[in-house]
Amino acid sequence: MSDEHGPLEPVVVRVARPEHPVAAVAEDDAARRVAAYPSVRMGGPLFGHAEDLGDGRWCVRALWDDTPQAARDTLAHRFREHLAETTDPALAQDLVEVGRVLDWEKVDEVNVAGRRWRVMRADTFTRFGPDGPEPPRPSDPDSGAADSVRLYSDREGLLVDPGAPVGPVQAMVTVDLLSARYPAAGVPADVHADSRRALRTHPHGVVLPAGYAVAECIGGRWRPASRNLASPRQAREAITFKFRYMVPRIGQPTDAEIAAYARAADEVDATQAHEVSVLDRRFRVIRVETLLRFGPDGPEPPRPSDHDPEPPPEAHFAQLRQQGLLPEPE
């Protein structure tokens, strides 16, 4: 693998034959889908935070935010939860001091009780075939109960190690995704440059459990119609919520149109279908693959070109007070 600056560092992915029958079925599903949906398209990044466990292993604690600052705020909230639970004075002091820093500064790595916590980014991808984006696979877990509060709850506490062995198809997918970068055409120059640079600074990676989203085919092109979600069920519920509660309140739909969307929602509930068409509109639940890049020092942090418009909360409040939009604290 190489880019404009010459050969890239060789990537070694350890491979192990799956022994559990469920893992073998998932491998077979993956092989079939890679063949049926061979084209990979990059989406927007996700942000979260992880804890350094040592020996190259990290524990993903959250990965669902759309901006680096939102991920920093999630980390600060997690530390406030720890502060409310701990009875250790030294740990409490650490948590207070780190929380104060996160409330005022854009920092992407902190230390608490001698352990590193890092704000990280992950790339997302969708596979495409002749019929459009890849839907959920038969072997994908589909929760029997929706979790509207904790998105990607299956990733909380997930141990990741780029040196750990994976199945043969997963290894092939990992290598495939590691070589992906944003094209020069269609994205700002700094986004393209950072994407290209990441191939060198963070050449290794781990493919995380899949996410899901809703896409709509508009004018022959598939466009995102929801944020990333944890399960196919959550994505189906995003469709039925839109049909039952959003459509009647947007524009001026007729009674017949409202009834058509309600029937389509009932159909999705009854069949658990991953695709539905209503009044010449076509929606599909799609599968979103997520790659967490790693370098010698751990998972990739936010890039300089990542969209990060929000200031930390206390810094934001200070700006508002300076503008006379908030009263001074008593």
Side-chain angles (χ1 to χ4, degrees):
M1 188 167 66
S2 64
D3 68 1
E4 299 93 325
H5 301 288
L8 299 172
E9 174 187 334
V11 176
V12 177
V13 179
R14 298 175 60 198
V15 181
R17 184 183 299 276
E19 298 181 358
H20 196 281
V22 174
V25 170
E27 279 280 306
D28 184 65
D29 269 356
R32 293 173 185 272
R33 286 298 184 83
V34 168
Y37 297 89
S39 176
V40 177
R41 301 182 190 178
M42 291 188 73
L46 288 172
F47 301 91
H49 66 269
E51 180 183 4
D52 184 4
L53 302 182
D55 299 326
R57 298 178 305 123
W58 290 71
C59 183
V60 176
R61 296 300 185 185
L63 185 61
W64 57 69
D65 289 307
D66 295 326
T67 66
Q69 186 55 47
R72 297 180 197 110
D73 293 342
T74 298
L75 177 57
H77 177 72
R78 184 63 53 85
F79 286 161
R80 283 191 288 271
E81 290 180 332
H82 291 339
L83 180 60
E85 297 166 356
T86 187
T87 57
D88 182 340
L91 176 58
Q93 182 63 30
D94 262 8
L95 291 169
V96 169
E97 292 176 357
V98 169
R100 185 177 297 116
V101 171
L102 287 168
D103 281 346
W104 283 96
E105 302 176 28
K106 288 191 172 188
V107 295
D108 294 324
E109 185 168 310
V110 295
N111 284 272
V112 175
R115 182 160 286 178
R116 289 194 299 167
W117 295 72
R118 176 174 295 176
V119 173
M120 60 186 182
R121 82 183 306 277
D123 285 317
T124 64
F125 305 83
T126 301
R127 292 189 169 274
F128 277 75
D131 69 331
E134 181 188 8
R137 298 172 183 172
S139 59
D140 285 341
D142 194 0
S143 173
D147 185 348
S148 60
V149 177
R150 289 197 170 190
L151 304 179
Y152 285 133
S153 57
D154 60 328
R155 294 180 183 173
E156 293 187 39
L158 181 68
L159 299 182
V160 290
D161 179 358
V166 296
V169 177
Q170 185 82 327
M172 181 178 66
V173 170
T174 301
V175 173
D176 194 24
L177 298 185
L178 280 172
S179 64
R181 62 189 180 192
Y182 289 114
V187 299
D190 59 342
V191 172
H192 171 66
D194 280 352
S195 180
R196 189 182 66 215
R197 188 178 301 109
L199 301 184
R200 294 181 176 278
T201 60
H202 295 82
H204 307 284
V206 175
V207 177
L208 303 180
Y212 305 87
V214 179
E216 182 180 4
C217 189
I218 302 174
R221 299 183 63 182
W222 288 90
R223 303 181 184 277
S226 80
R227 67 174 301 172
N228 290 323
L229 298 164
S231 69
R233 180 186 175 101
Q234 281 193 7
R236 291 194 302 271
E237 291 195 343
I239 293 175
T240 58
F241 181 86
K242 177 184 181 72
F243 287 1
R244 290 190 176 111
Y245 303 106
M246 300 300 293
V247 168
R249 291 167 173 79
I250 297 176
Q252 295 179 319
T254 65
D255 290 343
E257 289 171 335
I258 292 173
Y261 279 100
R263 287 193 300 271
D266 291 341
E267 177 187 343
V268 172
D269 285 341
T271 64
Q272 298 188 30
H274 297 317
E275 185 168 323
V276 59
S277 295
V278 55
L279 299 179
D280 297 323
R281 298 179 70 183
R282 183 182 176 195
F283 297 85
R284 178 181 294 180
V285 175
I286 64 171
R287 195 174 196 273
V288 181
E289 294 181 330
T290 304
L291 175 73
L292 185 59
R293 288 187 173 275
F294 275 80
D297 195 41
E300 183 183 14
R303 299 172 184 171
S305 61
D306 285 328
H307 182 64
D308 192 20
E310 308 97 344
E314 289 298 336
H316 181 54
F317 295 149
Q319 291 174 3
L320 293 177
R321 285 192 288 269
Q322 288 177 352
Q323 296 168 7
L325 299 177
L326 276 182
E328 293 291 336
E330 296 182 0

